[in-house]
């Protein structure tokens, strides 16, 4: 057996069942990103809620709240039900809830108890028939129970004056002994049972907790094995743990885990062998296979879940804990096998299954249990076996196991859909080539997975990984067959539209008037429309300075008249997109009119006249087209998908951050400059390009090497008497620092 895997944390093991509050180091939200790589929902087949927070999660806790927060409410329903049965109609359910569960009733309970003792006929006494023996006993018990909460709800507070915890307030042993005296005098079986628990609780919160063990040992043989008994047993387990009697403590927690579903989560979190010998000693204490199986079930939560399954199954093939252990083992296996490359998120997540990562021992154990048909829930084992056979590419075997599962599967929506999900997975995985027969086979299954799932499935059904995987799988089959268009429709390739031939193939496909049902479905998965492609081509031409072609393409799209937010022909000293966007603009440029203006300026410069201003404007235009400029909206396109981000992906980073065309026009403007003002401006604008280039080099290391004297700034110093130079001094702190040195 492998070394015992210690839990990430240990709750204070002297557990106050039902009242103690735990502090989680996790906070907020109900989303577990592990589920995006998982296809098996444990809730589908383990419907006992007591196991829910023990399901596998990469977070510390499983479930919407991420931690066990049921302490103040864990037993309220059973407590109220017990008293209601005992009292009959003597108190309404509303009154029971008030006197049993509400702290607001404490003062009133005290007054009623005094009225009973003094036989007073006050207003409170008149509300109830206090001559009724059971009613009198109820109020006496509740008054005593509430008086103990001073100790049971006591939490150590941090004292900032002493930098330490204030001492806890414990009940005196003598006070606890008085509660035991009441227990001894009680003859009513119902009340005696409750006074037994109240005595256990009193000693647990007393100055000598070992008295709880003494009382338990001399009375436990007479106590009914009900909820109160296991609550008391949990107190003993906590005391033993504090006494470092780990084997006995953990054995008792396992008994609670096995027999009291409401305490199953608490018992699991409190179970904590320090090392393997503690666990082995706990096993030695166990007298029955059921007790041993419970210990192994807890071991499976923290340690080797596969070993735990094997051991529990050997002890008891129908053990109730086996299903929960299988869900953990299966989800852990998924976490190791399944991956999603989120860097493809803007194109479609690339999901993969590492077949060789399937736990071989888990596969053998699950297959054995499924084949032997001895378990209490054969459907879950058949489903798990079928799932693993898909992973191993044994599709016929998977079909067999799923057929077996149908014989005993629960008739619940989630259970049925979970099986259907795996059957669809098997159908898709069995296809090795896409032809007409495969299309007919796949279409209804993919529609259910992609469409029906969104509208009708159970909330817990985990479909996202198989959606991503199926798109990737079908796409990969099309790639092998050389069908680039269909491969792209199922899973976008970041580089697809960088190839002009592939671009034209997609345009031809999307312009087709008639589609088969299969092609219509594939098109519905694709988030790129024909307009997006025309716009993309226009953007690509623009960055290549092929303006006429860019104009022709943008005119084919519906985006031609989209207005840019800033004036793309402005070239300011500071790069400030927001400033440019709110600045007054005499002329508002659309994507089309911007390109048309660029073409007009280029035609002027082509005549080789005095075109300093035109070259500056063209330089500004291409600068603002880049990531650094105010016209980023120009490349806001569904294919590029880089507009609302400061982290450009590698596919388009070099294009969007390039200032090559800008530098060409600014350099030409410098050559054509007729005076120092024009030269100063051209030099400074060229220096901005020098700066941007530096920031892209490995030499730039923030807070280490992030400040250099650019050559452009050295040249600019020659024009210190110009007005533009002074404007740069005022607006550019970087240059101002250089000048002042």
């Amino acid at each position: 057996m492998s070394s015992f895997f210690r839990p990430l944390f240990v709750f204070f093991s002297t557990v106050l069942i039902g009242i103690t509050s735990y502090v989680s180091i996790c906070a907020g939200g109900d989303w577990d990103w592990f589920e995006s790589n998982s296809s098996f929902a444990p809730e589908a087949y383990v419907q006992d809620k007591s196991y829910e927070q023990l399901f596998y999660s990469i977070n510390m806790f499983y479930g919407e709240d991420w931690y066990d927060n049921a302490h103040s409410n864990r037993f309220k329903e059973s407590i109220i039900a017990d008293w209601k049965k005992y009292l009959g109609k003597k108190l309404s359910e509303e009154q029971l809830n008030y006197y049993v569960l509400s702290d607001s009733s404490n003062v009133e309970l005290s007054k009623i108890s005094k009225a009973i003792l003094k036989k007073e006929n006050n207003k409170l006494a008149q509300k109830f028939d206090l001559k009724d023996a059971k009613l009198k006993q109820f109020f006496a018990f509740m008054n005593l129970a509430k008086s103990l909460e001073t100790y049971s709800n006591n939490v150590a507070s941090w004292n900032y004056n002493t930098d330490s915890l204030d001492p806890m307030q414990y009940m005196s042993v003598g006070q606890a002994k008085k509660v035991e005296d009441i227990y001894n005098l009680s003859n009513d079986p119902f009340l005696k049972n409750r006074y037994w628990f109240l005595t256990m609780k009193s000693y647990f919160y007393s100055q000598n907790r070992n008295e709880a063990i003494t009382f338990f040992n001399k009375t436990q043989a007479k106590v009914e094995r009900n909820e109160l008994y296991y609550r008391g047993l949990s107190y003993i387990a906590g005391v033993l743990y504090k006494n470092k009697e780990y084997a006995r403590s953990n054995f008792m927690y396992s008994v609670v885990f096995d027999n009291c579903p409401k305490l199953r989560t608490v018992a699991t979190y409190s179970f904590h062998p320090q090392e393997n010998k503690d666990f082995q000693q706990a096993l030695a204490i166990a007298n029955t296979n059921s007790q041993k199986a419970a210990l192994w079930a807890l071991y499976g939560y923290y340690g080797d879940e596969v070993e735990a399954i094997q051991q529990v199954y050997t002890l008891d093939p129908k053990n109730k804990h086996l299903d929960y252990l299988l869900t953990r083992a299966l989800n852990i296996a998924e976490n190791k096998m399944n991956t999603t490359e989120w860097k493809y998120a803007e194109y479609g997540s690339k999901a993969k299954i590492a077949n060789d990562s399937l736990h071989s021992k888990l596969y053998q154990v699950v297959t054995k249990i499924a084949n032997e048909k001895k378990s209490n829930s054969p459907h879950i084992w058949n489903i798990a076996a079928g799932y693993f056979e898909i992973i191993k590419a044994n599709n016929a075997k998977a079909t067999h196991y799923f057929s077996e599962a149908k014989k005993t599967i629960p008739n619940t929506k989630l259970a049925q859909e979970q099986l259907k999900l795996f059957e669809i997975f098997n159908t898709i995985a069995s296809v090795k080539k896409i032809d007409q027969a495969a299309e007919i086979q796949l279409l209804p299954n993919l529609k259910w997975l992609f469409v029906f799932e969104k509208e009708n499935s159970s909330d817990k059904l985990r479909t996202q990984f198989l959606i991503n995987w199926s798109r990737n799988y079908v796409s990969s089959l099309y790639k092998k067959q050389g069908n680039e268009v269909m491969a792209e429709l199922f899973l976008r390739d970041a580089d697809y539209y960088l190839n002009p031939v592939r671009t034209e193939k997609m345009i031809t496909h999307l312009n087709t008037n008639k589609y088969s049902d299969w092609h219509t479905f594939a098109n519905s998965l694709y988030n790129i429309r024909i307009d997006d492609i025309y716009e993309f081509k226009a953007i690509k031409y623009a960055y290549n300075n092929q303006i006429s072609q860019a104009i022709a393409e943008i005119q084919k799209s519906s985006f031609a008249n989209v207005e840019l937010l800033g004036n793309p022909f402005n070239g300011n000293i500071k790069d400030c997109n927001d400033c440019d966007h709110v600045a007054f603009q005499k002329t508002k440029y659309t994507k089309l009119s911007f390109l048309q203006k660029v073409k007009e300026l280029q035609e002027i410069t082509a005549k080789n006249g005095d075109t300093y201003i035109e070259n500056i404007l063209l330089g500004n235009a291409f600068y603002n087209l880049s990531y650094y400029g105010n016209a980023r909206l120009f490349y806001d396109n569904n294919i590029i998908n880089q507009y609302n981000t400061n982290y450009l992906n590698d596919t388009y980073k070099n294009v969007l951050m390039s200032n090559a065309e800008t530098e060409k026009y600014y350099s030409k403007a410098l050559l054509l400059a007729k005076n120092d003002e024009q030269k100063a401006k051209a030099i400074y604008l060229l220096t901005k390009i020098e700066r941007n280039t530096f920031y892209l080099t490995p030499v730039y290391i923030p807070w280490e090497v992030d400040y250099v004297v650019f050559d452009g700034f050295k040249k600019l110093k020659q024009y210190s008497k110009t007005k533009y130079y002074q404007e740069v001094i005022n607006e550019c702190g970087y240059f101002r620092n250089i000048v002042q040195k």
Side-chain angles (χ1 to χ4, degrees), residues 203 655 726:
Y203 280 128
V655 174
Q726 294 303 320

Side-chain angles (χ1 to χ4, degrees), residues 362-381:
L362 175 61
Y363 171 73
Q364 293 166 6
V365 170
V366 168
T367 303
K368 177 177 184 288
I369 296 175
N371 290 339
E372 290 184 354
K373 302 179 180 180
K374 296 179 183 178
S375 71
N376 201 40
S377 307
H379 50 275
I380 189 175
W381 297 92

Side-chain angles (χ1 to χ4, degrees), residues 565-612:
L565 300 178
N567 188 327
F569 295 102
N570 285 347
N572 298 317
I573 292 172
K574 291 191 298 186
D575 288 341
C576 177
N577 290 343
D578 292 340
C579 304
D580 288 357
H581 294 169
V582 299
F584 171 74
Q585 298 171 49
K586 184 177 180 179
T587 302
K588 291 289 292 184
Y589 287 95
T590 64
K591 293 186 176 185
L592 174 60
S593 65
F594 164 65
L595 290 172
Q596 290 171 333
K597 184 65 176 180
V598 169
K599 183 179 180 182
E600 177 187 331
L601 292 170
Q602 287 179 335
E603 288 173 350
I604 294 173
T605 60
K607 297 177 182 178
N608 295 319
D610 180 9
T611 57
Y612 168 84

Side-chain angles (χ1 to χ4, degrees), residues 312-335:
V312 173
Y313 182 75
T314 301
L315 291 164
D316 177 13
K318 294 188 178 297
N319 188 273
K320 58 192 172 188
H321 306 308
L322 274 171
D323 295 350
Y324 128 78
L325 285 172
L326 176 58
T327 69
R328 285 188 63 83
L330 203 156
N331 287 155
I332 289 170
E334 287 184 304
N335 194 38

Side-chain angles (χ1 to χ4, degrees), residues 293-520:
L295 280 161
W296 278 109
L298 284 166
Y299 174 90
Y301 182 82
Y302 292 112
D304 186 337
E305 68 284 351
V306 182
E307 176 73 9
I309 290 173
Q310 195 168 36
Q311 293 289 344
V312 173
Y313 182 75
T314 301
L315 291 164
D316 177 13
K318 294 188 178 297
N319 188 273
K320 58 192 172 188
H321 306 308
L322 274 171
D323 295 350
Y324 128 78
L325 285 172
L326 176 58
T327 69
R328 285 188 63 83
L330 203 156
N331 287 155
I332 289 170
E334 287 184 304
N335 194 38
K336 293 176 180 177
M337 293 186 301
N338 301 344
T339 57
T340 301
E341 295 181 21
W342 292 107
K343 68 179 181 180
Y344 288 92
E346 64 266 41
Y347 308 111
S349 303
K350 185 171 285 188
K352 295 181 179 179
I353 302 173
N355 302 27
D356 55 354
S357 294
L358 175 58
H359 195 309
S360 59
K361 184 179 177 182
L362 175 61
Y363 171 73
Q364 293 166 6
V365 170
V366 168
T367 303
K368 177 177 184 288
I369 296 175
N371 290 339
E372 290 184 354
K373 302 179 180 180
K374 296 179 183 178
S375 71
N376 201 40
S377 307
H379 50 275
I380 189 175
W381 297 92
N382 279 304
I383 286 170
Y387 186 15
F388 291 156
E389 293 298 352
I390 302 173
I391 303 299
K392 294 178 73 67
N394 299 326
N395 303 104
K397 285 186 177 181
T399 300
H400 163 73
Y401 284 119
F402 294 149
S403 296
E404 288 294 309
K406 288 180 180 178
K407 297 176 182 179
T408 59
I409 191 172
N411 189 26
T412 64
K413 184 177 179 65
L414 181 58
Q416 296 289 333
E417 288 185 348
Q418 180 66 74
L419 176 57
K420 184 175 180 66
L421 185 67
F422 284 149
E423 287 181 315
I424 288 174
F425 179 28
N426 191 37
T427 298
I428 298 169
S430 66
V431 172
K432 306 303 177 185
K433 180 182 178 181
I434 305 293
D435 52 21
Q436 189 173 10
E439 291 174 2
I440 294 172
Q441 183 182 18
L442 289 175
L443 184 57
N445 290 287
L446 289 176
K447 277 187 174 181
W448 186 91
L449 184 59
F450 285 58
V451 181
F452 175 83
E453 177 273 333
K454 296 177 182 177
E455 300 173 357
N456 298 293
S457 75
S458 305
D459 291 340
K460 297 291 185 181
L461 191 65
R462 302 177 181 181
T463 59
Q464 192 56 57
F465 179 79
L466 283 182
I467 287 174
N468 293 336
W469 174 86
S470 63
R471 295 187 70 154
N472 186 47
Y473 182 72
V474 173
S475 178
S476 67
L477 292 178
Y478 272 122
K479 281 185 178 179
K480 289 179 182 178
Q481 294 170 215
N483 192 331
E484 296 176 316
V485 169
M486 292 304 292
E488 170 70 7
L489 290 178
F490 275 89
L491 184 69
R492 287 189 58 191
D493 186 334
D495 299 331
Y496 183 86
Y497 288 100
L498 298 183
N499 184 313
V501 175
R502 290 187 299 201
T503 301
E504 294 308 314
K505 285 182 180 179
M506 184 59 76
I507 290 175
T508 300
H509 171 80
L510 294 179
N511 277 331
T512 302
N513 292 324
K514 293 183 179 180
Y515 297 107
S516 67
D517 290 343
W518 174 254
H519 287 91
T520 299

Side-chain angles (χ1 to χ4, degrees), residues 555-707:
Q555 286 177 322
K556 297 177 186 177
S557 81
S558 61
F559 304 110
N561 293 321
V562 172
E563 284 190 346
L564 301 179
L565 300 178
N567 188 327
F569 295 102
N570 285 347
N572 298 317
I573 292 172
K574 291 191 298 186
D575 288 341
C576 177
N577 290 343
D578 292 340
C579 304
D580 288 357
H581 294 169
V582 299
F584 171 74
Q585 298 171 49
K586 184 177 180 179
T587 302
K588 291 289 292 184
Y589 287 95
T590 64
K591 293 186 176 185
L592 174 60
S593 65
F594 164 65
L595 290 172
Q596 290 171 333
K597 184 65 176 180
V598 169
K599 183 179 180 182
E600 177 187 331
L601 292 170
Q602 287 179 335
E603 288 173 350
I604 294 173
T605 60
K607 297 177 182 178
N608 295 319
D610 180 9
T611 57
Y612 168 84
I613 293 176
E614 284 75 12
N615 277 286
I616 288 290
L617 292 175
L618 286 169
N620 293 343
F622 280 95
Y623 188 88
N624 284 317
L625 272 184
S626 76
Y627 170 79
Y628 307 101
N630 65 28
R632 291 184 187 179
L633 189 64
F634 186 83
Y635 63 74
D636 180 21
N637 170 262
N638 285 338
I639 295 174
I640 297 175
N641 196 27
Q642 297 295 294
Y643 175 61
N644 289 314
T645 179
N646 288 324
Y647 302 95
L648 303 179
N649 67 34
D650 293 339
T651 305
Y652 298 104
K653 183 176 181 178
N654 291 335
V655 174
L656 299 180
M657 286 188 162
S658 173
N659 284 148
E661 293 298 322
T662 305
E663 186 174 15
K664 181 180 74 175
Y665 285 112
Y666 285 160
S667 296
K668 190 171 182 181
L670 180 60
L671 291 174
L672 294 169
K674 292 186 176 181
N675 55 56
D676 288 351
E677 289 289 347
Q678 290 183 340
K679 290 177 182 179
K681 183 170 186 174
I683 288 171
Y684 177 78
L685 293 175
L686 284 166
T687 307
K688 288 171 65 175
I689 298 173
E690 187 183 354
R691 174 204 63 194
N692 296 343
T693 303
F694 164 71
Y695 286 147
L696 294 175
T697 66
V699 178
Y700 169 62
I701 305 174
W703 298 288
E704 291 185 26
V705 183
D706 58 1
Y707 186 89

